[in-house]
Amino acid sequence: NLAQVYKNMIGVSDDAAQWAVQSYIAAIKADPNNPLLRIELAKIFVDQENYQQAISILSQAISLKPNLAASHYNLALILEKLDQPNAYREARISYQRTLVLLDSSSEEYILVNKKIEEIEFTMKEKGISIELEQQEQALDKSTENKEQDPAADKNEVPSITEQNLD
């Protein structure tokens, strides 16, 4: 509850975002299996345009509860903001995962279907292929680069429980 209060104060108080983050971290430590807390924390990072941290947090939420549509949907929204070819492909996949988890007669299902159409249109406009084969090739190259450059792993964001966010 305290985290939500601080989140509502963002924009009013300069320190509210930091307080909200710290409150969500405390809540996550108290209830480590609750993916909804991580979704809310990720939204704060998105508001701060800290997309990599938000992606890391949502990945944790997905690991905790893979069948929670909200995690996949929010991940897709963030990936789209990156405006990168592989991110668009991953966002499309996340939207598709969301769709599978929703009731086909729900309004959310219709919304996510539209998001898939929109992202495919954007990808077509930008000349980004949606072919999985090309995505796999890009992932293979990324893996090769990490094997050749062990320092590449240093750019990864540690989990929320492994970092100190003062």
Side-chain angles (χ1 to χ4, degrees):
N1 290 333
L2 184 59
Q4 190 61 46
V5 170
Y6 288 142
K7 186 177 176 185
N8 291 335
M9 290 176 54
I10 294 175
V12 176
S13 172
D14 293 338
D15 295 327
Q18 181 181 355
W19 297 335
V21 167
Q22 292 303 323
S23 295
Y24 275 116
I25 290 171
I28 289 168
K29 287 179 181 177
D31 188 4
N33 295 321
N34 185 342
L36 299 176
L37 293 171
R38 285 176 170 81
I39 292 171
E40 291 303 316
L41 178 58
K43 289 177 183 179
I44 294 172
F45 286 122
V46 168
D47 290 342
Q48 297 174 336
E49 297 182 6
N50 188 344
Y51 302 127
Q52 292 304 319
Q53 186 67 54
I55 290 168
S56 175
I57 301 287
L58 284 172
S59 295
Q60 293 174 29
I62 290 168
S63 292
L64 286 172
K65 190 168 183 184
N67 63 344
L68 183 62
S71 299
H72 296 282
Y73 181 76
N74 282 287
L75 178 61
L77 291 173
I78 296 167
L79 289 166
E80 274 190 272
K81 290 179 183 289
L82 296 178
D83 194 27
Q84 298 171 352
N86 281 339
Y88 280 116
R89 289 183 192 103
E90 291 177 34
R92 181 175 171 268
I93 291 168
S94 288
Y95 283 133
Q96 289 172 329
R97 288 180 180 146
T98 304
L99 202 62
V100 169
L101 297 170
L102 296 172
D103 180 357
S104 61
S105 63
S106 70
E107 289 181 29
E108 292 86 3
Y109 187 90
I110 295 167
L111 172 71
V112 174
N113 237 340
K114 286 182 183 177
K115 292 296 287 181
I116 292 171
E117 290 173 9
E118 289 171 9
I119 201 167
E120 288 176 350
F121 179 79
T122 300
M123 290 172 72
K124 184 177 178 180
E125 276 188 328
K126 292 180 177 271
I128 300 169
S129 170
I130 57 175
E131 295 296 320
L132 182 59
E133 179 181 312
Q134 290 181 355
Q135 184 179 4
E136 288 175 357
Q137 289 173 356
L139 289 174
D140 288 344
K141 287 181 185 177
S142 173
T143 303
E144 288 173 8
N145 290 341
K146 284 186 180 180
E147 290 172 359
Q148 293 171 359
D149 182 12
D153 286 338
K154 292 182 182 175
N155 291 331
E156 292 182 17
V157 179
S159 78
I160 196 68
T161 56
E162 294 174 352
Q163 54 187 305
N164 183 6
L165 298 173
D166 293 324

